[in-house]
Amino acid sequence: SSRNPQFVWQMPIDATGVSYLVTDSPASNPGPHSDGITGKILISNVADGTHFFHLKIRRGTTWGPIMHYQFNIDSVLPKEFNIDVINDGSIKPEITFKTTDEGSGIDHYEVQIGNGGWDKIAAGDAGKSLPVAFNQIGSKIVTVKAIDQAGNEQIATTKVSVSLAAISSLAAKWISMIFDRLVDALSGNGLLLVLLLAVLGCAILIIKLFASGFRRVFKRSAKRRTLKVAERKSGKLYDHIVEDMVEEINFLESISKRRTLGPEEKYLKSKLQQYVKSLHHYDHK
């Protein structure tokens, strides 16, 4: 990547001179004149591209064979590029990036998320979606380095985030799904069927109690006490469920005073109000 390359070679003990030359030809002759007796040379301001270093060493009065060494200069950084963020703010954001290098070509990329380590990405994978790992709500700076064959680096950064709204939206979807299944099982005809079966069960129980006669008075009394306890527990559970739904509705209403509810939150609130209304309706019946 340096435009000032240095070349080093081993000099024979009996060397009396060296001759060197830099050209764009693979087979040039440095000439018969010595450039001194040295084992290294620094060439300055070499243009980008492919070049050849030619060297021959004199021993006594005789020049040895010409040695040719190809080298390539690429001092230009890869082209500037942007990092595109996909699903920013969601629980699974992704990024894409890609650039080019006209000199030596892109060797690979390196990606850093926040203060984490650098992950190496093959040049052929550029342009593909790369997931950004998050372990908490908030934002992280994502840094991408494009590195060419000569080691030149071009750096791009962007901010990627996971919002509280994304977490709330996911939670709302799960809660809505659970309540939908609950209502599908217990509302409408399903709830009416449950009530009819309960009434039928009570009627059968009463008939059996009367048919058993006075001989089972004490046993019948014990069963009635068991039923009352079960009814009280059922009533408490029913009241607890209704209270929880009302609390969730109030919580969503308090949120709506601070900001606009999202579609999932509005849907959840509407469903909860529907459930409470339906349960109160059957309770009055």
Side-chain angles (χ1 to χ4, degrees), residues 164-178 264 268:
L164 178 61
I167 304 299
S168 300
S169 175
L170 181 63
K173 289 181 180 179
W174 277 97
I175 294 173
S176 175
M177 181 182 67
I178 293 172
E264 293 86 359
L268 176 59

Side-chain angles (χ1 to χ4, degrees), residues 212-224:
S212 63
F214 294 101
R215 292 171 304 169
R216 303 179 62 185
V217 172
F218 294 101
K219 187 179 294 186
R220 183 173 57 198
S221 177
K223 289 184 178 181
R224 286 178 178 175

Side-chain angles (χ1 to χ4, degrees), residues 83-88 90-97 111-114 119 129-136 138-144 158-162:
I83 304 172
D84 297 321
V85 183
I86 304 172
N87 300 326
D88 189 33
S90 70
I91 60 172
K92 292 183 178 180
E94 298 178 346
I95 59 172
T96 60
F97 51 84
V111 179
Q112 182 187 49
I113 300 174
D119 294 324
S129 296
L130 180 68
V132 180
F134 269 82
N135 53 12
Q136 61 185 19
S139 300
K140 291 185 179 180
I141 298 298
V142 175
T143 304
V144 177
T158 192
K159 183 172 70 174
V160 182
S161 61
V162 169

Side-chain angles (χ1 to χ4, degrees), residues 173-201:
K173 289 181 180 179
W174 277 97
I175 294 173
S176 175
M177 181 182 67
I178 293 172
F179 274 101
D180 279 344
R181 292 182 178 179
L182 178 63
V183 170
D184 288 342
L186 298 178
S187 65
N189 294 332
L191 182 58
L192 180 60
L193 178 61
V194 171
L195 293 175
L196 289 175
L197 290 174
V199 172
L200 180 60

